[in-house]
Amino acid sequence: MAGCSVDTLYDLHQARIAPGDDDEFLRFLTEADMTLLEGARWRWCRNRVSLTPVNGILTLPAGYAAILGARADEWPALDINAEEYEFAPGGPGEMTVGGSHGARLIDQGLDGDGARTYKLIGFSDEATPPTIYTLCMYSPFTLYRTEDLPAAPTADESDRTRCESAKALKLAMQATIYEEKGDNTSAASYMSSAIKVLNSHETNQRGNARQTPIVRSGGAGLSRGPHFL
């Protein structure tokens, strides 16, 4: 499992973050981990999940908060619309599963079990349900020390953080401390430093890989052709 050991973080940082106060340190650590996860810009924030719709509805497994991107079988990508899309003035109104509205997902919010659901549009009900390949954002953990972790932890309980950088977590905890003291300038500075640490770590791991494909109308490596005035 990725992330940092909560026990190790206690040993490394408690003396500077919350000396002698285990509960306060865990509170700062949990908030720091949640805050950094909400950025959703780093690889450790997300994971690939293959989903099959049931009656046109996709339900995210426990441990995931939202779909960041999706594609379905031969479709290169699916548009994802927010929950209020069907209710917007001048908008499309209710869009039915299987209707000819173009392939897209519409956020349906949380179901009765607290799971995030999405309506799949643009695929016939009679057809074999397509496999939806998604990039999903993790939900935050409830953090525990190893000795306090429940015997059967849920998908949202862990003795390891989501964030993989102990240094970034330390900086984010310090940002929270200054924020609670009303020193927003120092808080912003520490949080900015935490983000820089994570960005540098991501860049090092990515190497020369491109994040965004470069698409040319003539195709990669082909001449752009003559220009006429």
Side-chain angles (χ1 to χ4, degrees):
M1 180 186 292
C4 300
S5 163
V6 172
D7 294 345
T8 299
L9 292 170
Y10 266 89
D11 293 338
L12 288 174
H13 302 315
Q14 185 182 14
R16 285 163 291 281
I17 301 298
D21 192 334
D22 290 358
D23 291 340
E24 188 74 345
F25 179 82
L26 189 61
R27 181 178 73 84
F28 283 131
L29 178 60
T30 300
E31 183 169 346
D33 197 40
M34 291 176 62
T35 299
L36 295 174
L37 175 63
E38 288 172 355
R41 68 178 74 183
W42 304 287
R43 291 183 64 88
W44 56 266
C45 296
R46 56 189 186 262
N47 190 32
R48 297 186 183 194
V49 182
S50 298
L51 301 171
T52 301
V54 177
N55 297 323
I57 299 294
L58 294 177
T59 302
L60 292 190
Y64 294 96
I67 294 177
L68 302 174
R71 58 183 177 84
D73 291 344
E74 73 276 10
W75 292 84
L78 298 177
D79 287 334
I80 303 175
N81 296 111
E83 185 177 6
E84 61 269 22
Y85 178 73
E86 295 175 302
F87 299 90
E94 183 177 3
M95 302 179 73
T96 58
V97 172
S100 56
H101 311 288
R104 67 180 66 236
L105 295 175
I106 301 177
D107 188 354
Q108 300 295 287
L110 303 179
D111 65 12
D113 297 321
R116 192 74 168 270
T117 60
Y118 291 80
K119 184 191 296 185
L120 177 63
I121 301 298
F123 295 88
S124 173
D125 284 333
E126 288 73 29
T128 301
T131 298
I132 309 300
Y133 303 96
T134 66
L135 190 64
C136 293
M137 177 181 171
Y138 284 118
S139 59
F141 277 145
T142 298
L143 296 173
Y144 296 91
R145 299 194 74 164
T146 302
E147 62 188 28
D148 299 322
L149 187 67
T154 68
D156 296 324
E157 297 174 327
S158 179
D159 60 354
R160 302 187 71 87
T161 62
R162 290 288 191 195
C163 180
E164 297 179 344
S165 170
K167 183 175 182 179
L169 286 165
K170 177 187 176 183
L171 291 166
M173 285 190 284
Q174 290 171 316
T176 302
I177 291 172
Y178 280 107
E179 180 185 24
E180 294 185 354
K181 291 179 179 179
D183 186 348
N184 292 328
T185 300
S186 294
S189 177
Y190 275 101
M191 186 57 69
S192 176
S193 295
I195 290 171
K196 287 180 180 178
V197 167
L198 291 173
N199 284 344
S200 295
H201 185 255
E202 185 89 352
T203 300
N204 290 339
Q205 286 190 331
R206 190 170 64 245
N208 292 324
R210 293 175 178 169
Q211 283 184 296
T212 305
I214 298 175
V215 180
R216 298 176 183 169
S217 59
L222 298 181
S223 170
R224 296 177 181 270
H227 294 273
F228 298 96
L229 299 179

Short mmCIF file of all heavy atoms in Angstrom, two decimals, residues 158-208:
data_model
loop_
_atom_site.label_atom_id
_atom_site.label_comp_id
_atom_site.label_asym_id
_atom_site.label_seq_id
_atom_site.Cartn_x
_atom_site.Cartn_y
_atom_site.Cartn_z
N SER A 158 -7.55 3.59 7.67
CA SER A 158 -6.19 3.14 7.36
C SER A 158 -5.19 3.63 8.41
O SER A 158 -5.43 4.63 9.09
CB SER A 158 -5.77 3.66 5.98
OG SER A 158 -4.45 3.27 5.66
N ASP A 159 -4.09 2.90 8.51
CA ASP A 159 -2.96 3.36 9.32
C ASP A 159 -1.86 3.92 8.42
O ASP A 159 -0.73 4.08 8.85
CB ASP A 159 -2.42 2.23 10.20
CG ASP A 159 -1.94 1.03 9.39
OD1 ASP A 159 -2.12 1.02 8.16
OD2 ASP A 159 -1.40 0.09 10.01
N ARG A 160 -2.23 4.23 7.17
CA ARG A 160 -1.32 4.88 6.23
C ARG A 160 -2.08 6.03 5.57
O ARG A 160 -3.28 5.93 5.32
CB ARG A 160 -0.80 3.90 5.17
CG ARG A 160 -0.07 2.70 5.72
CD ARG A 160 0.55 1.87 4.62
NE ARG A 160 1.69 2.56 4.01
CZ ARG A 160 2.93 2.47 4.47
NH1 ARG A 160 3.21 1.75 5.54
NH2 ARG A 160 3.91 3.10 3.85
N THR A 161 -1.38 7.11 5.27
CA THR A 161 -2.00 8.26 4.63
C THR A 161 -2.21 8.00 3.14
O THR A 161 -1.64 7.07 2.57
CB THR A 161 -1.11 9.50 4.78
OG1 THR A 161 0.15 9.25 4.13
CG2 THR A 161 -0.89 9.84 6.26
N ARG A 162 -3.04 8.82 2.52
CA ARG A 162 -3.12 8.81 1.06
C ARG A 162 -1.86 9.43 0.47
O ARG A 162 -1.29 8.92 -0.48
CB ARG A 162 -4.34 9.61 0.60
CG ARG A 162 -5.70 8.99 0.90
CD ARG A 162 -5.98 7.80 0.05
NE ARG A 162 -7.36 7.36 0.15
CZ ARG A 162 -7.80 6.18 -0.27
NH1 ARG A 162 -6.96 5.32 -0.81
NH2 ARG A 162 -9.07 5.85 -0.14
N CYS A 163 -1.44 10.58 1.02
CA CYS A 163 -0.26 11.29 0.52
C CYS A 163 1.00 10.46 0.72
O CYS A 163 1.18 9.84 1.78
CB CYS A 163 -0.12 12.63 1.22
SG CYS A 163 1.30 13.61 0.68
N GLU A 164 1.87 10.45 -0.27
CA GLU A 164 3.07 9.62 -0.23
C GLU A 164 4.31 10.36 0.25
O GLU A 164 5.37 9.77 0.34
CB GLU A 164 3.33 9.05 -1.63
CG GLU A 164 2.24 8.14 -2.14
CD GLU A 164 2.51 7.61 -3.53
OE1 GLU A 164 3.38 8.19 -4.21
OE2 GLU A 164 1.85 6.65 -3.94
N SER A 165 4.18 11.65 0.58
CA SER A 165 5.34 12.44 0.96
C SER A 165 5.24 12.88 2.41
O SER A 165 4.38 13.70 2.77
CB SER A 165 5.48 13.67 0.05
OG SER A 165 6.46 14.56 0.54
N ALA A 166 6.16 12.40 3.25
CA ALA A 166 6.18 12.81 4.66
C ALA A 166 6.51 14.30 4.78
O ALA A 166 5.97 14.99 5.65
CB ALA A 166 7.21 11.97 5.43
N LYS A 167 7.37 14.81 3.89
CA LYS A 167 7.74 16.22 3.95
C LYS A 167 6.55 17.11 3.61
O LYS A 167 6.30 18.13 4.27
CB LYS A 167 8.90 16.50 2.99
CG LYS A 167 9.39 17.94 3.05
CD LYS A 167 10.62 18.15 2.17
CE LYS A 167 11.13 19.58 2.28
NZ LYS A 167 12.34 19.80 1.44
N ALA A 168 5.80 16.74 2.57
CA ALA A 168 4.63 17.52 2.19
C ALA A 168 3.59 17.51 3.30
O ALA A 168 2.95 18.54 3.58
CB ALA A 168 4.04 17.00 0.89
N LEU A 169 3.41 16.39 3.94
CA LEU A 169 2.45 16.30 5.05
C LEU A 169 2.88 17.19 6.21
O LEU A 169 2.04 17.86 6.83
CB LEU A 169 2.31 14.85 5.50
CG LEU A 169 1.52 13.93 4.56
CD1 LEU A 169 1.75 12.47 4.92
CD2 LEU A 169 0.03 14.26 4.62
N LYS A 170 4.17 17.21 6.52
CA LYS A 170 4.67 18.08 7.59
C LYS A 170 4.38 19.54 7.28
O LYS A 170 3.89 20.29 8.15
CB LYS A 170 6.17 17.87 7.77
CG LYS A 170 6.80 18.79 8.81
CD LYS A 170 8.33 18.65 8.82
CE LYS A 170 8.97 19.62 9.80
NZ LYS A 170 10.45 19.56 9.77
N LEU A 171 4.67 19.95 6.05
CA LEU A 171 4.43 21.34 5.66
C LEU A 171 2.94 21.68 5.69
O LEU A 171 2.55 22.77 6.12
CB LEU A 171 4.99 21.58 4.26
CG LEU A 171 6.52 21.57 4.14
CD1 LEU A 171 6.94 21.47 2.68
CD2 LEU A 171 7.13 22.81 4.80
N ALA A 172 2.11 20.74 5.26
CA ALA A 172 0.66 20.98 5.27
C ALA A 172 0.13 21.05 6.70
O ALA A 172 -0.79 21.83 6.99
CB ALA A 172 -0.06 19.90 4.48
N MET A 173 0.68 20.25 7.61
CA MET A 173 0.28 20.35 9.01
C MET A 173 0.67 21.70 9.60
O MET A 173 -0.10 22.32 10.35
CB MET A 173 0.91 19.20 9.82
CG MET A 173 0.24 17.86 9.60
SD MET A 173 0.80 16.56 10.76
CE MET A 173 2.41 16.16 10.08
N GLN A 174 1.87 22.17 9.25
CA GLN A 174 2.29 23.48 9.74
C GLN A 174 1.39 24.58 9.17
O GLN A 174 1.08 25.57 9.86
CB GLN A 174 3.76 23.71 9.37
CG GLN A 174 4.71 22.83 10.17
CD GLN A 174 6.14 22.90 9.67
OE1 GLN A 174 6.39 22.86 8.47
NE2 GLN A 174 7.10 23.01 10.59
N ALA A 175 0.94 24.41 7.93
CA ALA A 175 0.01 25.37 7.34
C ALA A 175 -1.28 25.44 8.15
O ALA A 175 -1.82 26.53 8.39
CB ALA A 175 -0.28 25.01 5.89
N THR A 176 -1.77 24.29 8.58
CA THR A 176 -3.00 24.24 9.37
C THR A 176 -2.81 24.92 10.72
O THR A 176 -3.69 25.66 11.20
CB THR A 176 -3.44 22.78 9.58
OG1 THR A 176 -3.64 22.15 8.31
CG2 THR A 176 -4.73 22.71 10.38
N ILE A 177 -1.65 24.71 11.33
CA ILE A 177 -1.37 25.34 12.63
C ILE A 177 -1.42 26.87 12.50
O ILE A 177 -2.05 27.57 13.31
CB ILE A 177 0.01 24.89 13.15
CG1 ILE A 177 -0.05 23.40 13.54
CG2 ILE A 177 0.44 25.74 14.35
CD1 ILE A 177 1.30 22.82 13.87
N TYR A 178 -0.75 27.40 11.47
CA TYR A 178 -0.74 28.86 11.29
C TYR A 178 -2.13 29.38 10.91
O TYR A 178 -2.53 30.47 11.33
CB TYR A 178 0.28 29.24 10.23
CG TYR A 178 1.69 29.28 10.76
CD1 TYR A 178 2.61 28.29 10.43
CD2 TYR A 178 2.09 30.32 11.62
CE1 TYR A 178 3.91 28.32 10.94
CE2 TYR A 178 3.38 30.35 12.12
CZ TYR A 178 4.28 29.36 11.79
OH TYR A 178 5.57 29.40 12.30
N GLU A 179 -2.87 28.59 10.13
CA GLU A 179 -4.22 29.00 9.77
C GLU A 179 -5.10 29.15 11.01
O GLU A 179 -5.86 30.12 11.14
CB GLU A 179 -4.84 27.98 8.82
CG GLU A 179 -6.25 28.31 8.37
CD GLU A 179 -6.86 27.21 7.53
OE1 GLU A 179 -6.42 26.05 7.65
OE2 GLU A 179 -7.79 27.51 6.77
N GLU A 180 -4.98 28.22 11.93
CA GLU A 180 -5.79 28.27 13.15
C GLU A 180 -5.34 29.38 14.10
O GLU A 180 -6.11 29.80 14.96
CB GLU A 180 -5.76 26.92 13.85
CG GLU A 180 -6.45 25.83 13.03
CD GLU A 180 -6.55 24.50 13.75
OE1 GLU A 180 -5.99 24.38 14.87
OE2 GLU A 180 -7.18 23.58 13.20
N LYS A 181 -4.13 29.87 13.91
CA LYS A 181 -3.66 31.01 14.68
C LYS A 181 -4.04 32.33 14.03
O LYS A 181 -3.77 33.41 14.58
CB LYS A 181 -2.13 30.95 14.83
CG LYS A 181 -1.62 29.82 15.72
CD LYS A 181 -0.10 29.83 15.77
CE LYS A 181 0.44 28.73 16.69
NZ LYS A 181 1.93 28.72 16.72
N GLY A 182 -4.65 32.27 12.85
CA GLY A 182 -5.05 33.47 12.13
C GLY A 182 -3.95 34.08 11.30
O GLY A 182 -4.11 35.18 10.77
N ASP A 183 -2.82 33.37 11.15
CA ASP A 183 -1.71 33.86 10.34
C ASP A 183 -1.84 33.26 8.94
O ASP A 183 -1.18 32.27 8.59
CB ASP A 183 -0.38 33.46 10.99
CG ASP A 183 0.83 34.06 10.28
OD1 ASP A 183 0.66 34.60 9.17
OD2 ASP A 183 1.94 33.98 10.84
N ASN A 184 -2.70 33.86 8.12
CA ASN A 184 -2.99 33.30 6.81
C ASN A 184 -1.81 33.41 5.84
O ASN A 184 -1.67 32.60 4.93
CB ASN A 184 -4.21 33.99 6.20
CG ASN A 184 -5.48 33.65 6.95
OD1 ASN A 184 -5.63 32.56 7.48
ND2 ASN A 184 -6.41 34.60 7.01
N THR A 185 -0.96 34.41 6.03
CA THR A 185 0.21 34.56 5.16
C THR A 185 1.16 33.39 5.34
O THR A 185 1.62 32.78 4.35
CB THR A 185 0.94 35.88 5.46
OG1 THR A 185 0.05 36.98 5.23
CG2 THR A 185 2.17 36.03 4.58
N SER A 186 1.47 33.06 6.59
CA SER A 186 2.36 31.92 6.85
C SER A 186 1.69 30.61 6.43
O SER A 186 2.35 29.72 5.88
CB SER A 186 2.72 31.87 8.33
OG SER A 186 3.51 32.99 8.70
N ALA A 187 0.39 30.51 6.67
CA ALA A 187 -0.33 29.29 6.28
C ALA A 187 -0.24 29.07 4.77
O ALA A 187 0.04 27.96 4.31
CB ALA A 187 -1.79 29.39 6.71
N ALA A 188 -0.46 30.14 4.00
CA ALA A 188 -0.39 30.03 2.55
C ALA A 188 1.02 29.68 2.08
O ALA A 188 1.21 28.90 1.13
CB ALA A 188 -0.85 31.33 1.90
N SER A 189 2.03 30.22 2.75
CA SER A 189 3.41 29.95 2.39
C SER A 189 3.76 28.48 2.60
O SER A 189 4.37 27.84 1.75
CB SER A 189 4.35 30.84 3.20
OG SER A 189 5.70 30.56 2.91
N TYR A 190 3.37 27.95 3.76
CA TYR A 190 3.65 26.53 4.04
C TYR A 190 2.89 25.61 3.09
O TYR A 190 3.44 24.60 2.62
CB TYR A 190 3.31 26.20 5.50
CG TYR A 190 4.42 26.52 6.46
CD1 TYR A 190 4.40 27.68 7.25
CD2 TYR A 190 5.52 25.67 6.60
CE1 TYR A 190 5.43 27.97 8.13
CE2 TYR A 190 6.56 25.95 7.48
CZ TYR A 190 6.50 27.11 8.24
OH TYR A 190 7.54 27.39 9.11
N MET A 191 1.62 25.94 2.79
CA MET A 191 0.86 25.09 1.88
C MET A 191 1.44 25.15 0.48
O MET A 191 1.51 24.13 -0.23
CB MET A 191 -0.61 25.50 1.87
CG MET A 191 -1.50 24.57 1.08
SD MET A 191 -1.43 22.83 1.66
CE MET A 191 -2.23 22.99 3.25
N SER A 192 1.89 26.32 0.07
CA SER A 192 2.54 26.45 -1.24
C SER A 192 3.80 25.59 -1.30
O SER A 192 4.08 24.94 -2.32
CB SER A 192 2.89 27.91 -1.50
OG SER A 192 3.59 28.06 -2.72
N SER A 193 4.55 25.56 -0.21
CA SER A 193 5.76 24.73 -0.18
C SER A 193 5.42 23.25 -0.26
O SER A 193 6.11 22.47 -0.92
CB SER A 193 6.55 25.02 1.11
OG SER A 193 7.03 26.34 1.13
N ALA A 194 4.33 22.84 0.40
CA ALA A 194 3.89 21.44 0.35
C ALA A 194 3.54 21.05 -1.08
O ALA A 194 3.91 19.96 -1.56
CB ALA A 194 2.69 21.23 1.28
N ILE A 195 2.84 21.93 -1.78
CA ILE A 195 2.45 21.65 -3.16
C ILE A 195 3.67 21.58 -4.07
O ILE A 195 3.76 20.73 -4.96
CB ILE A 195 1.46 22.72 -3.64
CG1 ILE A 195 0.13 22.55 -2.90
CG2 ILE A 195 1.23 22.63 -5.15
CD1 ILE A 195 -0.87 23.67 -3.12
N LYS A 196 4.65 22.45 -3.84
CA LYS A 196 5.88 22.41 -4.64
C LYS A 196 6.62 21.09 -4.44
O LYS A 196 7.16 20.52 -5.40
CB LYS A 196 6.79 23.58 -4.25
CG LYS A 196 6.31 24.93 -4.76
CD LYS A 196 7.26 26.05 -4.34
CE LYS A 196 6.78 27.40 -4.84
NZ LYS A 196 7.67 28.51 -4.39
N VAL A 197 6.65 20.59 -3.21
CA VAL A 197 7.30 19.30 -2.95
C VAL A 197 6.62 18.20 -3.75
O VAL A 197 7.27 17.37 -4.39
CB VAL A 197 7.25 18.98 -1.44
CG1 VAL A 197 7.63 17.52 -1.19
CG2 VAL A 197 8.19 19.90 -0.67
N LEU A 198 5.28 18.19 -3.74
CA LEU A 198 4.55 17.14 -4.45
C LEU A 198 4.69 17.29 -5.96
O LEU A 198 4.79 16.30 -6.68
CB LEU A 198 3.08 17.18 -4.04
CG LEU A 198 2.81 16.76 -2.60
CD1 LEU A 198 1.34 17.00 -2.23
CD2 LEU A 198 3.17 15.29 -2.37
N ASN A 199 4.69 18.53 -6.44
CA ASN A 199 4.87 18.75 -7.89
C ASN A 199 6.24 18.26 -8.35
O ASN A 199 6.38 17.65 -9.42
CB ASN A 199 4.71 20.23 -8.22
CG ASN A 199 3.26 20.68 -8.22
OD1 ASN A 199 2.35 19.86 -8.26
ND2 ASN A 199 3.05 21.99 -8.15
N SER A 200 7.28 18.53 -7.55
CA SER A 200 8.63 18.09 -7.89
C SER A 200 8.71 16.57 -7.90
O SER A 200 9.33 15.96 -8.79
CB SER A 200 9.64 18.66 -6.90
OG SER A 200 9.71 20.06 -6.99
N HIS A 201 8.08 15.94 -6.93
CA HIS A 201 8.07 14.48 -6.84
C HIS A 201 7.37 13.89 -8.07
O HIS A 201 7.83 12.91 -8.66
CB HIS A 201 7.36 14.06 -5.56
CG HIS A 201 7.39 12.59 -5.31
ND1 HIS A 201 6.29 11.77 -5.51
CD2 HIS A 201 8.38 11.76 -4.87
CE1 HIS A 201 6.60 10.52 -5.20
NE2 HIS A 201 7.86 10.49 -4.82
N GLU A 202 6.26 14.51 -8.47
CA GLU A 202 5.51 14.03 -9.63
C GLU A 202 6.33 14.19 -10.91
O GLU A 202 6.36 13.30 -11.76
CB GLU A 202 4.20 14.82 -9.75
CG GLU A 202 3.28 14.34 -10.85
CD GLU A 202 2.33 13.26 -10.41
OE1 GLU A 202 2.47 12.76 -9.28
OE2 GLU A 202 1.44 12.89 -11.19
N THR A 203 7.00 15.31 -11.06
CA THR A 203 7.82 15.56 -12.24
C THR A 203 8.94 14.55 -12.34
O THR A 203 9.24 14.03 -13.42
CB THR A 203 8.39 16.99 -12.20
OG1 THR A 203 7.32 17.93 -12.17
CG2 THR A 203 9.26 17.25 -13.42
N ASN A 204 9.57 14.24 -11.22
CA ASN A 204 10.66 13.26 -11.22
C ASN A 204 10.17 11.89 -11.62
O ASN A 204 10.85 11.15 -12.35
CB ASN A 204 11.31 13.20 -9.83
CG ASN A 204 12.10 14.45 -9.51
OD1 ASN A 204 12.50 15.19 -10.40
ND2 ASN A 204 12.32 14.70 -8.23
N GLN A 205 8.98 11.51 -11.16
CA GLN A 205 8.44 10.19 -11.50
C GLN A 205 8.00 10.12 -12.95
O GLN A 205 8.09 9.07 -13.59
CB GLN A 205 7.25 9.87 -10.58
CG GLN A 205 7.63 9.51 -9.16
CD GLN A 205 6.46 8.97 -8.38
OE1 GLN A 205 5.30 9.31 -8.64
NE2 GLN A 205 6.74 8.12 -7.43
N ARG A 206 7.49 11.25 -13.47
CA ARG A 206 6.96 11.25 -14.83
C ARG A 206 8.07 11.23 -15.87
O ARG A 206 7.89 10.73 -16.99
CB ARG A 206 6.05 12.47 -15.03
CG ARG A 206 5.27 12.45 -16.33
CD ARG A 206 4.21 13.54 -16.37
NE ARG A 206 4.78 14.86 -16.35
CZ ARG A 206 4.60 15.74 -15.37
NH1 ARG A 206 3.90 15.41 -14.32
NH2 ARG A 206 5.16 16.93 -15.43
N GLY A 207 9.21 11.78 -15.53
CA GLY A 207 10.31 11.83 -16.49
C GLY A 207 9.94 12.68 -17.69
O GLY A 207 9.46 13.80 -17.55
N ASN A 208 10.15 12.12 -18.89
CA ASN A 208 9.87 12.86 -20.12
C ASN A 208 8.48 12.58 -20.68
O ASN A 208 8.15 13.02 -21.78
CB ASN A 208 10.91 12.51 -21.19
CG ASN A 208 12.29 13.04 -20.83
OD1 ASN A 208 12.42 14.11 -20.25
ND2 ASN A 208 13.32 12.27 -21.17
#
